[in-house]
Amino acid sequence: MDISITRQQLSQITKFSTLHPRPEGHKYAYGTAGFRLLGSLLDSVVFRVGLLAALRSRKLDGETIGVMITASHNPPDDNGVKLIDPQGEMLEASWETYATKFANAETDDELTKEYLAVAEALKINLDSPSNVVFARDTRASGPALVAALKDGLRAAAADYADYRILTTPQLHYIVKCINTGKSATPYGDPSEQGYFDKLSTAFKIVTKGKPKPPIVTVDAANGVGGPKLKELARCIGSDYLDINVVKDEIDAVERLNFQCGADFVKTQQKLPVGLEPAPFELYASLDGDADRIVFYYVDESNKFHLLDGDKIASLAAMFIRDLIAVSGVDLQVGVVQTAYANGSSSKYLTDILKVPITVTPTGVKHLHHAAQLFDVGVYFEANGHGTVLFSNSSMKTLESFEAQNPGQQDAVTTLLSLAALINQTVGDALSDLLLVIAILSHKAWGPNEWDLTYTDLPNRLVRVVVKDRTAFKTEDAERRLIEPKGLQGNIDALVKKYKSGRSFVRASGTEDAVRVYAEAATRLEADELAVKVSDSLKGL
Ligand code: 16G
Ligand code: MG
């Protein structure tokens, strides 16, 4: 390592850091969704994330790292920042600790020392190339945070490219495209237009010869997904698809995620405020950075029916399983869920579709890694975040498959196009939207036919504030408590009293509370079970 370059870089970092002072008294933590809090508290954090991104790229021989500035479904005044690894995946978990350390360094000098300490511990040559790309959502605090990020990247002497306003999954896509650009299997053109072209071409192939799907109305949560979806729909063309985008006021920044969007619809189990749906038409809601989607419809009596992440996973697994069967390729589709997956969905997958299920702890990175172990791994959280991963070897199997008849050929072509249509890096609301529309078009189904595949068990989620949530330790993918001692026995005894009863307790990863989930055969019983389990936590 060249000493003079190192010295110069460290002095630049100290100098730039004085422009981005750390607010006193605040403790930051890089959690499951990166750093996320009030935008006004993030300036120093984002500057420091710039330094870390530069180091991460250097550690990986100059591969491009992504930085996304967004707070997803949070209120408009919040913002956040997270790093994207070279294959478009979430930041490797061991680096989350460095992120937290950087963010909490008390002084400019301490920060510079941390920077050098990480470089030395991981044998990173500060003189080597570093490449970073970044983008932001539509929040008002975004431009100032981008300026802080640029300062961090300049201080650490990284090369960077500003992709301006993008959805989170678009940036994941671009990162993967850049890093696979020179490989034998480039993922795509590393540009927004490349993303639109890839998805729209794949959609047209998947739906070729099928009737044009009925109109879909999409609530874009007044976020970045609105303009991007319109652009995507324009690329596909109205001969193939009719999409009506509502809640697309990105300039009315205070309306972001307000009384609309995927999180609102899922947690409130109701329509976005102001939407007046026609019976049995398909509706969907995105979140503020368009990496989550849920669907819904109303019936003839205006009753609301939610089609959540579990319903999407089941639909995708069924469709892909059937295509694999028709094609005759030797591939296995599997589904990854969390403990929050509705019991009926797990039963449907296992008993009816005969598809294997893996259950992982909450958090996208756990599901993603488990899905990589299947030939074709479908993963969705009930909240609507998910995607379908095709392993490299299944792609090779499909590409080299010699079909014996036109039916087999069709099925293989559809499977290959699905792999292009579905974002392989992360859950992507726009890509998931097209996937669902394509499947419904193949089956000539409306939302109610899709809904009929299985009926959700009534369920209830309760947030309980406890003295110390870290005292709650779980096993078996968060489905059983090992501590506090004795509590699981009480829960088991309660659950036994209810038909189709199931309940579990876990500490939240994003809030200072524990969550109680309960489901049972009837609404009344699910509610009662949730209350009883919550009561059993009293005094803890
Ligand atoms: C984070 C996770 C999300 C999970 C949620 C659970 C990512 C990108 N996001 O938002 O997947 O559902 O946390 O929150 O992994 P909780 O721990 O508070 O229940
Ligand atoms: Mg999101």
Side-chain angles (χ1 to χ4, degrees):
M1 186 148 59
D2 185 323
I3 299 288
S4 71
I5 288 185
T6 304
R7 280 217 190 99
Q8 194 192 351
Q9 206 172 100
L10 297 180
S11 86
Q12 283 294 93
I13 290 171
T14 314
K15 192 178 111 197
F16 272 101
S17 180
T18 58
L19 304 173
H20 301 282
R22 177 185 186 284
E24 258 175 49
H26 198 86
K27 267 268 170 238
Y28 298 101
Y30 194 99
T32 38
F35 293 107
R36 198 178 288 179
L37 61 161
L38 270 180
S40 55
L41 288 171
L42 274 169
D43 183 80
S44 63
V45 174
V46 175
F47 168 77
R48 293 162 185 216
V49 163
L51 303 179
L52 193 71
L55 276 183
R56 178 94 185 124
S57 172
R58 289 201 170 101
K59 172 68 190 164
L60 301 173
D61 298 326
E63 284 200 282
T64 298
I65 296 296
V67 181
M68 184 69 201
I69 296 178
T70 176
S72 185
H73 57 275
N74 286 36
D77 286 346
D78 283 1
N79 214 327
V81 60
K82 56 185 170 188
L83 292 172
I84 302 170
D85 262 357
Q87 291 304 307
E89 293 165 281
M90 309 267 169
L91 175 67
E92 187 189 293
S94 64
W95 277 64
E96 293 178 1
T97 323
Y98 305 133
T100 302
K101 272 195 184 154
F102 276 29
N104 289 317
E106 295 281 349
T107 61
D108 306 329
D109 278 343
E110 200 181 296
L111 172 65
T112 311
K113 275 191 198 129
E114 284 288 354
Y115 182 86
L116 189 61
V118 172
E120 281 175 349
L122 301 178
K123 301 192 170 45
I124 297 169
N125 182 356
L126 294 180
D127 190 12
S128 62
S130 176
N131 296 292
V132 177
V133 294
F134 56 86
R136 64 177 175 94
D137 69 15
T138 53
R139 283 161 204 270
S141 55
L145 294 177
V146 163
L149 177 65
K150 281 187 191 162
D151 275 358
L153 295 169
R154 278 191 205 116
D159 284 327
Y160 61 79
D162 181 355
Y163 279 80
R164 299 175 192 280
I165 295 182
L166 291 181
T167 70
T168 297
Q170 282 183 317
L171 188 65
H172 283 257
Y173 161 89
I174 282 168
V175 169
K176 186 171 172 112
C177 288
I178 295 173
N179 290 308
T180 56
K182 294 200 176 79
S183 74
T185 49
Y187 189 54
D189 181 56
S191 67
E192 187 174 27
Q193 194 55 49
Y195 169 90
F196 289 137
D197 289 345
K198 180 165 177 155
L199 264 59
S200 47
T201 306
F203 180 79
K204 285 184 199 165
I205 300 175
V206 173
T207 54
K208 193 168 168 224
K210 303 293 163 202
K212 184 180 168 185
I215 186 160
V216 186
T217 300
V218 181
D219 147 30
N222 295 316
V224 59
K228 303 305 183 190
L229 177 55
K230 284 189 204 161
E231 187 56 27
L232 176 59
R234 205 188 55 75
C235 289
I236 293 172
S238 54
D239 288 348
Y240 295 86
L241 183 64
D242 278 325
I243 288 192
N244 176 24
V245 183
V246 298
K247 308 277 182 194
D248 59 343
E249 296 174 80
I250 53 166
D251 293 327
V253 284
E254 71 289 352
R255 297 205 187 146
L256 175 68
N257 296 321
F258 181 66
Q259 297 187 332
C260 60
D263 197 60
F264 176 86
V265 172
K266 169 74 184 164
T267 54
Q268 310 276 320
Q269 310 246 340
K270 64 180 188 200
L271 295 166
V273 172
L275 192 80
E276 285 175 12
F280 299 111
E281 270 190 17
L282 184 62
Y283 293 81
S285 285
L286 318 179
D287 74 338
D289 64 338
D291 65 355
R292 269 171 65 179
I293 186 165
V294 293
F295 294 83
Y296 43 92
Y297 68 100
V298 297
D299 61 21
E300 67 282 351
S301 48
N302 221 27
K303 183 167 177 271
F304 171 80
H305 298 260
L306 182 66
L307 299 154
D308 64 2
D310 299 338
K311 278 262 153 78
I312 304 173
S314 307
L315 183 74
M318 180 229 4
F319 186 60
I320 292 168
R321 182 203 68 154
D322 291 351
L323 283 172
I324 290 175
V326 172
S327 70
V329 260
D330 182 18
L331 292 177
Q332 167 126 77
V333 59
V335 174
V336 185
Q337 302 187 311
T338 71
Y340 289 111
N342 195 279
S344 295
S345 75
S346 314
K347 205 164 163 9
Y348 171 73
L349 288 164
T350 315
D351 297 354
I352 310 288
L353 295 187
K354 313 250 182 265
V355 162
I357 302 179
T358 309
V359 183
T360 70
T362 305
V364 171
K365 64 182 172 218
H366 300 297
L367 288 107
H368 191 92
H369 288 140
Q372 285 172 323
L373 302 177
F374 289 112
D375 296 332
V376 184
V378 178
Y379 77 84
F380 273 88
E381 288 191 307
N383 66 20
H385 189 128
T387 192
V388 182
L389 301 179
F390 288 72
S391 72
N392 288 340
S393 75
S394 13
M395 288 304 285
K396 282 195 193 114
T397 306
L398 288 168
E399 277 156 5
S400 60
F401 188 73
E402 286 176 19
Q404 306 296 311
N405 57 55
Q408 286 189 342
Q409 187 55 57
D410 258 11
V412 169
T413 307
T414 307
L415 282 165
L416 281 168
S417 309
L418 280 180
L421 178 65
I422 307 169
N423 195 322
Q424 296 295 294
T425 63
V426 78
D428 180 340
L430 302 192
S431 147
D432 291 341
L433 172 70
L434 295 183
L435 167 69
V436 165
I437 295 175
I439 299 175
L440 294 180
S441 155
H442 268 252
K443 312 232 33 125
W445 278 2
N448 59 323
E449 284 88 4
W450 172 17
D451 199 16
L452 283 173
T453 47
Y454 66 85
T455 307
D456 275 327
L457 282 171
N459 57 87
R460 183 66 68 208
L461 187 63
V462 186
R463 178 178 181 277
V464 183
V465 177
V466 292
K467 277 191 212 120
D468 177 14
R469 74 178 152 133
T470 62
F472 288 73
K473 303 219 162 45
T474 58
E475 61 178 1
D476 192 20
E478 303 179 325
R479 287 174 291 190
R480 297 186 63 79
L481 278 174
I482 34 181
E483 284 177 28
K485 294 252 178 304
L487 203 51
Q488 187 59 47
N490 299 346
I491 299 173
D492 289 342
L494 287 169
V495 165
K496 254 201 223 141
K497 296 185 186 149
Y498 295 86
K499 186 161 175 263
S500 306
R502 189 167 72 89
S503 181
F504 64 90
V505 179
R506 60 174 275 277
S508 160
T510 62
E511 290 177 57
D512 194 8
V514 298
R515 300 200 197 283
V516 173
Y517 176 88
E519 65 184 29
T522 64
R523 167 88 280 143
L524 223 63
E525 288 171 297
D527 288 350
E528 198 178 284
L529 180 57
V531 169
K532 291 209 167 139
V533 173
S534 305
D535 283 350
S536 75
L537 307 181
K538 274 205 177 119
L540 287 170

